[in-house]
Amino acid sequence: MTQICRIRVKGQVQGVGFRPFVWVLAQRLGLNGWVLNDASGVLIEAQGAEMPAFLVALRTEAPPLARVDALDVEPLQSADLPGGFEIRASAGGAIRTRVTPDAATCPDCLAEIRDPSARRFGYAFTNCTHCGPRFSILRSLPYDRAQTTMAGFTMCAACNAEYSDPADRRFHAQPIACPDCGPQLWFESGGERVAGDAIAMAAMALKAGHILAIKGIGGFHLACDARSEKSVALLRKRKHRPTKPFALMGTLEIIAQSCATTPAARNLLQGPAAPIVLLERKARDHLAASIAPGSPALGWMLPYTPLHHLLMDAVKAPLVMTSANLSGEPQVICNADARAKLAQFADGFVMHDRDIARRLDDSVERVTPGGPTILRHARGRAPNTCPLPPGFDDAPHVLAMGGQMKGAFCLTRDGEALLSHHLGDLDDALTWDEYEKALGDYAALFDHQPQRVAVDAHEGFRATQAGRAMGLEVTPVYHHHAHLAACLGENGWPRDGGKVAAIVLDGLGLGPDGTIWGGELLLGDYASFERVAWIQPAPLAGGDAAQSEPWRNALVRLDAAGLAHMADKLFPDAPRALVRHACASGLNAPLSSSAGRLFDAVAAILDVCPARQSHEAEAAMALEALAIASPGAEPYMLRDAPEIPIAPLFATICEDLKGGVGKAQIAARFHATLAECFARRARRLLDEGQASAVVLTGGCFQNVVLLDYMSQALRGLRVLSHQKLPANDGSLAFGQALVVCASPKTPERS
Ligand code: ZN
Ligand code: ZN
Ligand code: FE
């Protein structure tokens, strides 16, 4: 029996070859009708006897980059359909076609660039509907070639034929290109373009130990041979980057030489997002010693552009691929900036003439016992909408401004949220420019007119100030409430799902009592929260200095435990008197229950971190690395009180130290203790029926040792943690938006 249906497809279905896929499918199944893109996704009207098979295949056979979130089918009595099947122009003049994230080179394109008989043999800008640059080349909407940085390249006849053929895998592939009509690659040295094969020259330079600046998808990288200690040390010296681990690029075979890769990790590496994946390091490898000193993990990514593949084929060696930027500034994206800023680091440049419209850092992800999790949400993952949890269908247009150190904002409308990519530390002027530009971009992308603005309660945050200056209704959201809501939202917790026990272990965030929070057990939901337990506060001596100098946190904790003499012994050369004076006078020494600073304190006592951290969380990561070596540790016993007593913890740690207990053992016991204190109290809230699940959120939950101890301590309970969004401040804006959507209060007028 012939059926006529109107089919609405929602999800990531535009710019991914969905319409030609529908066209091919309809031909195969003998349906007539049409397909088009509109504001909500893809709309189909079709009729034919094979309708049931058609509806199944729309989901099961969808193109690689497509994601079908919903398929709404409405049977029609009659329709005025064409005799065959047509792809129609997008409906509605002002309708905005969504753009998808940048995608790693697909197997078909890879085969093509390696096939000497193909016309794209060796071509570094090969792409198709299933792969290639998207968001990074978009200048404005709608997403078609004229609005991308491919606008200046006129398609040749051969490319145009592919572009116009619905049966071709390059049908409507906006960045389509070939050696005759597309972008060109060249090698540059000493400010001069060097004639010849750019890939061959780059490979030779890398093998000779040189450092190169290589233009990628979302920005420039600095690259060198990761096996050469001389090259890596030189890069560290030039970049003034003493210890922070370098990201690496290699094939799966190369990666396997230094790291264990599980099937789950290979899945992440090989997905179209092609993120940096943190992998457990083997005891021995062939990499330079200074690649990631002391780190139990290495961050690897696969080659994700044809340029990377060609280079990797030529070099056949692991490469450092670190983002190219001046200290504190964002990654360089344009050729002129690269020449001006990167010449001090790089001996040569691999350049091309396809502009990068938008800076996108590499995403960073890892596999935890609970599944894959995102640490940095950027290239390959953004822009991507996610459905809001049940109960938020009528959410207003909210713009949530996010935090400070890991700038990212979030838009909500019509039951969906759009979280921006990671923009970086908003203290930096260039990053701030980027943030402001992105605000406009994403609003256009999402057709979003903010009605309400959510900001962090900290008035000192740049994003908070900018949110207040917009002249809209502004709602301040407490930092750790936003963390709680972000984790709930990511897990699809319904708006009326009831209260949860949220263990928020984090860096710093302003609490309602005016002190700085960061180690809390909250009882709450999207709309409200109360503080049930917290880490005994200690002063942040010297304000910002307490963030970068772990010993300051150790000193105040030791002093509070009556162990000032230990502090004197451990930090003989530090300006201790200054810190003690600041604490006594209360000047520039705000109280904080930060879990992050507690990690710093313990790391400093165990002497596993420098006096001054050269990068964020350096001390905490060293402590985590130490604890990995001593699994299954027993927690220290701490008295049960809402304010978790920390002084006795430090007294015990010092006794252990004096008693000759190994540092790895102490580090592990500290992790176990923190987990145990919070888990015990959270469990009680569930036992008493006050909460129905435990939420784990905040930057400290990037620490897999902590996550592991916590999961063990919470065994048998329903636990919600982060997977699709970062546990750190990168997802703060998403939580802020949800709190505002659920907020019963009338917001204040800015
Ligand atoms: Zn492809
Ligand atoms: Zn061409
Ligand atoms: Fe935070």
Side-chain angles (χ1 to χ4, degrees), residues 35 109 123 204 229 266 286 328 344 383 386 495 522 559 588 617 697 708 748:
V35 56
C109 286
Y123 184 54
M204 222 154 65
E229 180 54 34
R266 285 196 293 275
H286 295 89
Q344 55 181 311
C386 69
R495 183 171 175 173
L522 306 179
D559 281 11
N588 204 15
T697 186
D708 211 29
E748 50 183 283

Side-chain angles (χ1 to χ4, degrees), residues 436-474:
E436 288 198 304
K437 182 170 154 251
L439 279 178
D441 279 358
Y442 276 86
L445 203 65
F446 206 33
D447 204 4
H448 189 270
Q449 283 96 33
Q451 297 162 315
R452 295 176 66 178
V453 178
V455 297
D456 191 277
H458 197 305
E459 297 295 337
F461 285 3
R462 209 162 182 177
T464 301
Q465 293 161 2
R468 289 208 176 271
M470 284 181 184
L472 296 164
E473 287 184 4
V474 177

Side-chain angles (χ1 to χ4, degrees), residues 489-538:
E490 179 187 329
N491 285 281
W493 189 261
R495 183 171 175 173
D496 59 2
K499 290 186 176 174
V500 291
I503 300 173
V504 194
L505 302 181
D506 199 29
L508 307 174
L510 184 67
D513 61 357
T515 70
I516 311 285
W517 291 13
E520 325 296 316
L521 173 63
L522 306 179
L523 175 65
D525 57 15
Y526 295 109
S528 65
F529 70 99
E530 60 186 293
R531 193 190 198 194
V532 175
W534 58 93
I535 289 174
Q536 178 185 19

